[in-house]
């Protein structure tokens, strides 16, 4: 309980399993009224209790919006087996089911639903809005195009070799081998440095997810790589030039790292057909600073809140 917002835990059906979500409600919430609502989508390897929830959903609820932040299918407290699948098409479907849930609630104005996402969740939000125009306005916070990332960074720019490796893993598992989820990050910043890792995104991700700063029980940072083939041919921004017409805001830091949010932010800003689009660059801040650091988050929210107020 908080004097500026409340949280309700909810569950709703997806494709054969349930989705776990937190519903952030503004202060003085009145179930007889109609509120604008926003779907908030967490990063890859994250969960609803991290940045998409405790930072951005909280801030938007304090500004008067109803905000639904869900755990991805196969992750967190949501259902789906096997665990730790990161499939872009399913992640985007999760957003559509979140919109379904909000539109079913009597206190939500079904014509005033927006979406926001962080990191991979930002690009999933973009892709959902391209083909689901029930989303009336959207914000990408340091969004990362996961298809590009897996073909480049995850594959070390050898996508054909990664595809062959995934095929071998999948074949072995089909023949009775174990399904082992890979941890996407080193165990600590110290271990990363000892391994010779210098990329700012990997180091700062480890500092966020592997310490008390951002660590949560369901923030597993794990992925079943044998099921990652679906991402290899995926592009978060496909057909944005034609179909992404809703008001769009892109927030990025200007300290680029290996995950590519700076590059992806400028790309979708350029490609989107939206007549109302803007990009916010938090100068001097990085991808993971925008997860929870007060100053860059304040830079983002000073633009995000009026953007949604004007467009929902």
């Amino acid at each position: 309980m908080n004097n500026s917002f409340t949280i309700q835990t909810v569950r709703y059906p997806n494709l054969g399993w349930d989705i776990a979500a937190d519903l952030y409600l503004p202060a003085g919430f009145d179930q007889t009224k109609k509120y604008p609502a926003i779907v908030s989508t967490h990063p890859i390897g994250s969960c609803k209790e991290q940045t998409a929830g405790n930072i951005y959903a909280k801030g938007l609820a304090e500004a008067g919006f109803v905000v639904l932040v869900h755990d991805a299918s196969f992750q967190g407290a949501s259902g789906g087996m096997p665990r730790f699948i990161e499939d872009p098409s399913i992640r985007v479907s999760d957003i559509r089911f979140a919109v379904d849930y909000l539109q079913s609630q009597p206190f939500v104005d079904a014509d005033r639903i927006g979406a926001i996402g962080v990191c991979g969740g930002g690009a999933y939000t973009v892709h959902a809005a391209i083909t689901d125009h029930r989303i009336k306005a959207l914000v990408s916070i340091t969004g990362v195009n996961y298809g590009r990332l897996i073909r480049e960074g995850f594959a070390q720019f050898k996508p054909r070799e990664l595809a062959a490796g995934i095929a071998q893993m999948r074949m072995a598992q089909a023949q009775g081998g174990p399904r082992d989820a890979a941890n996407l990050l080193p165990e600590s910043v110290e271990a990363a440095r000892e391994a010779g890792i210098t990329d700012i995104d990997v180091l700062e991700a480890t500092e966020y997810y592997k310490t008390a700063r951002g660590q949560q029980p369901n923030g597993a940072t794990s992925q079943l790589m044998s099921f990652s083939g679906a991402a290899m041919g995926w592009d978060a921004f496909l057909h944005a030039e034609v179909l992404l017409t809703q008001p769009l805001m892109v927030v990025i830091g200007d300290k680029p790292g290996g995950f590519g949010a700076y590059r992806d932010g400028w790309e979708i800003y350029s490609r989107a057909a939206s007549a109302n689009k803007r990009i916010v660059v938090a100068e001097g801040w990085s991808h993971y600073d925008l997860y929870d650091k007060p100053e860059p988050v304040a830079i983002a929210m000073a633009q995000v809140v009026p953007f949604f107020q004007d467009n929902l």
Side-chain angles (χ1 to χ4, degrees):
M1 183 76 175
N2 184 290
N3 60 8
S4 56
F5 70 97
T6 59
I7 304 175
Q8 292 182 1
T9 299
V10 299
R11 298 188 75 89
Y12 53 90
N14 198 324
L15 297 172
W17 54 85
D18 282 351
I19 293 294
D22 288 334
L23 194 63
Y24 286 70
L25 303 171
F29 174 73
D30 183 345
Q31 191 146 349
T32 67
K33 295 182 178 179
K34 295 279 190 180
Y35 292 85
I38 297 167
V39 177
S40 184
T41 300
H42 66 68
I44 295 161
S46 185
C47 63
K48 59 185 172 62
E49 290 82 11
Q50 288 167 325
T51 176
N54 67 335
I55 300 298
Y56 289 99
K58 172 181 176 291
L60 288 165
E62 290 173 336
F65 296 94
V66 168
V67 188
L68 182 75
V69 54
H70 56 282
D71 275 336
S73 294
F74 308 102
Q75 300 175 36
S78 288
M81 293 293 291
R83 305 304 292 167
F84 307 123
I85 289 176
E86 184 73 32
D87 184 320
S89 63
I90 296 174
R91 289 292 305 265
V92 171
S93 180
D94 289 340
I95 296 172
R96 295 193 180 103
F97 278 102
V99 174
D100 290 345
Y101 175 81
L102 288 173
Q103 289 189 322
S104 74
Q105 302 307 302
F107 52 83
V108 170
D109 186 334
D111 292 320
R112 298 168 68 200
I113 292 177
I116 188 171
V118 184
C119 186
Y124 291 142
T125 295
V126 169
H127 196 83
I130 286 171
T131 54
D132 193 335
H133 286 207
R134 295 178 300 168
I135 298 171
K136 303 301 183 184
L138 64 148
V139 172
S140 172
I141 302 290
T142 196
V144 171
N145 182 347
Y146 182 58
R148 178 204 53 75
L149 176 61
I150 198 168
R151 288 187 296 272
E152 295 181 2
F154 279 25
Q156 297 182 325
F157 291 86
K158 297 179 179 179
R160 290 190 292 273
E161 287 83 346
L162 179 59
I166 290 171
Q168 289 296 316
M169 285 187 280
R170 194 69 179 255
M171 180 174 67
Q173 291 170 11
Q175 295 173 350
R179 288 174 174 162
D180 295 323
N183 196 324
L184 300 176
L185 295 171
E187 287 305 311
S188 67
V189 174
E190 293 75 16
R193 293 191 189 279
E194 288 174 5
I197 295 171
T198 59
D199 178 68
I200 185 176
D201 280 353
V202 176
L203 294 174
E204 291 190 358
T206 304
E207 199 276 327
Y208 177 81
Y209 284 110
K210 300 293 188 177
T211 72
R213 173 186 162 197
Q215 203 166 36
Q216 292 288 338
N218 285 331
T221 67
S222 296
Q223 188 167 327
L224 192 58
M225 293 304 297
S226 58
F227 278 67
S228 295
M232 294 289 292
W234 188 76
D235 174 18
F237 307 147
L238 185 65
H239 302 308
E241 299 89 344
V242 176
L243 292 173
L244 184 56
T245 57
Q246 302 98 310
L248 166 69
M249 175 171 283
V250 176
V251 180
I252 53 175
D254 71 347
K255 293 171 66 175
F259 295 167
Y262 183 82
R263 163 188 168 179
D264 289 342
W266 280 107
E267 180 180 345
I268 188 55
Y269 173 73
S270 173
R271 289 176 62 176
S274 308
N276 177 359
K277 60 182 179 180
R278 62 190 84 168
I279 189 162
V280 177
V281 181
E283 295 182 1
W285 299 101
S286 68
H287 180 95
Y288 285 93
D289 290 336
L290 280 160
Y291 273 41
D292 65 342
K293 295 286 182 70
E295 189 173 341
V297 168
I299 292 169
M301 292 302 286
Q303 300 296 320
V304 169
V305 169
F307 172 79
F308 277 129
Q309 289 171 336
D310 290 344
N311 291 292
L312 291 181

